[in-house]
Amino acid sequence: MTISIGTGQKNSIRDIIIVSLAMIVFGIIFIVINANQLNKTSGWDETSGTIVEIVSNPSPSGNIDHDVYVDYYYKEQYFEHRLLNSYESTMYVGKIVTLRVNPTDPNQFIYGEQGFFTAFFAIGGSLIGLGVLIPSIAIPYKLYKKKKSISSSITQETNIPGDIKS
């Protein structure tokens, strides 16, 4: 008697592994990009900027994109109406935000709140964690279910009614 796991079971486990690997890869990408950005701006100076305008633009997908403009002083120079690289729902016109400014090119700056960078590390770490956790739970469960199904079918085959025992 030959017992084989059907193609549905094999494909299901393969799909779990593919999704888990994708989650791990995207998690690593989030962390690497964020670490690279932090390293790139590690020598940059912090300054404060004031949000002077938030422009809401509907996108074709139905979402609303926000362009945030800030004014800031850096080394006795005034930079007016500069586009910020991010948006958070807690932003409003008049809010003071932390900026990181490139000392060699003060026109180059990014949103400098640590929470922004921490969120990307948290997302990346969560994706990696889920990518490891999901298969470690789902695959043994699938195999257990299949083993239980096989043993129940074997039990049914050995107790066939009308079977003559000598």
Side-chain angles (χ1 to χ4, degrees), residues 5-34:
I5 296 177
T7 57
Q9 185 72 20
K10 186 186 261 183
N11 289 340
S12 175
I13 291 173
R14 184 196 67 210
D15 293 345
I16 290 169
I17 292 171
I18 289 170
V19 168
S20 296
L21 287 174
M23 291 174 82
I24 291 169
V25 167
F26 280 113
I28 290 170
I29 289 170
F30 265 92
I31 288 173
V32 167
I33 288 173
N34 194 42

Side-chain angles (χ1 to χ4, degrees), residues 39-104:
N39 286 339
K40 176 182 144 188
T41 63
S42 65
W44 290 18
D45 298 328
E46 279 193 10
T47 190
S48 296
T50 304
I51 297 175
V52 293
E53 184 179 15
I54 300 175
V55 178
S56 301
N57 304 309
S59 69
S61 65
N63 294 330
I64 297 177
D65 296 327
H66 301 280
D67 291 333
V68 179
Y69 294 91
V70 295
D71 291 350
Y72 63 97
Y73 282 99
Y74 180 72
K75 292 188 178 178
E76 300 179 16
Q77 278 186 296
Y78 184 64
F79 297 88
E80 189 174 14
H81 208 261
R82 305 297 171 115
L83 181 63
L84 191 60
N85 66 323
S86 68
Y87 168 78
E88 291 181 354
S89 61
T90 59
M91 291 180 170
Y92 56 88
V93 173
K95 182 176 182 174
I96 307 296
V97 294
T98 303
L99 306 174
R100 296 179 63 81
V101 180
N102 184 347
T104 59

Side-chain angles (χ1 to χ4, degrees), residues 2 36 49 51 106 117 119 126 141-142:
T2 305
N36 185 36
I51 297 175
F117 296 113
S126 297
Y141 176 74
K142 293 260 183 205

